[in-house]
Amino acid sequence: MKNKDILIVYYSRTGTTKKVAEKLKKQFDCDIEEIYDRTSRKGLFGFIRSGYDARKEKMTAITGEVKDVSTYKTIVMCTPLWSGHVCSAIRTYIMLNKEKFKNVAFLSTAAFSSGTVAFSQMQEICQIEPITKVSILGKDIKKGNMEKKLKEFASKIELTNI
């Protein structure tokens, strides 16, 4: 039976965050929504621009928002880390929808840095304490720790949605 209380929202520049968000979707059997950044983020210059924009806390033009956020009990936001910060597309998504959030949970993906700064930024924008948060690092994926981390993350969210 599909879980209609949870929506997973993600942005993925390289595909890693998408992979993690889709694994999480299977655990919850819930809706998922990919956010698209209309700014080109491809290649070396896109990579550099992404880090710069995140550090400067810039917003961007996004597309992909079709779900009515206010109908969900919990929004799980998945962001890649850009220079340790929340990516511009998820920052913009939060800014546009923050009044509609009831509960939030945060997930970040990165090669090797934790989401500490990004999570603080996301919480500050949302003005809501997250149910839980998790950083999925490159080593977690390579060493097989991702599934364990996602299971712990999901169990905390499920407790809130009972």
Side-chain angles (χ1 to χ4, degrees):
M1 176 181 244
K2 190 162 188 143
N3 186 332
K4 298 196 180 275
D5 289 335
I6 299 171
L7 172 65
I8 297 170
V9 177
Y10 73 93
Y11 170 80
S12 189
R13 189 180 83 83
T14 64
T16 301
T17 307
K18 180 177 185 164
K19 178 182 173 183
V20 174
E22 288 177 347
K23 282 191 177 283
L24 195 56
K25 179 198 182 302
K26 287 180 184 174
Q27 284 189 296
F28 287 125
D29 188 23
C30 66
D31 289 337
I32 190 167
E33 186 161 63
E34 182 171 9
I35 302 302
Y36 300 95
D37 190 337
R38 296 181 62 195
T39 301
S40 175
R41 305 272 179 202
K42 295 182 179 175
L44 178 61
F45 291 114
F47 175 77
I48 293 168
R49 180 184 303 113
S50 297
Y52 176 82
D53 288 353
R55 287 181 98 40
K56 294 293 184 181
E57 300 182 2
K58 290 189 173 198
M59 301 224 332
T60 190
I62 60 173
T63 59
E65 300 176 275
V66 294
K67 308 273 191 241
D68 180 0
V69 176
S70 65
T71 64
Y72 295 91
K73 190 172 181 181
T74 301
I75 308 299
V76 179
M77 287 174 266
C78 307
T79 182
L81 296 184
W82 292 351
S83 296
H85 294 71
V86 61
C87 74
S88 298
I90 294 296
R91 172 184 296 286
T92 302
Y93 180 86
I94 295 169
M95 292 294 291
L96 294 173
N97 292 288
K98 62 185 177 182
E99 290 84 17
K100 301 173 193 170
F101 299 150
K102 296 171 184 85
N103 294 296
V104 295
F106 304 146
L107 181 148
S108 70
T109 60
F112 46 81
S113 65
S114 73
T116 306
V117 172
F119 295 151
S120 294
Q121 292 173 328
M122 293 166 80
Q123 183 175 341
E124 184 178 320
I125 299 167
C126 289
Q127 293 296 301
I128 299 173
E129 179 80 27
I131 296 166
T132 187
K133 49 196 172 197
V134 67
S135 293
I136 304 294
L137 305 178
K139 68 180 180 181
D140 296 323
I141 295 169
K142 288 177 185 163
K143 294 182 179 179
N145 296 332
M146 178 177 65
E147 284 75 14
K148 180 182 178 204
K149 282 184 150 186
L150 287 179
K151 190 172 183 177
E152 290 172 10
F153 179 72
S155 69
K156 292 176 185 174
I157 294 168
E158 287 170 340
L159 287 174
T160 301
N161 287 287
I162 293 176

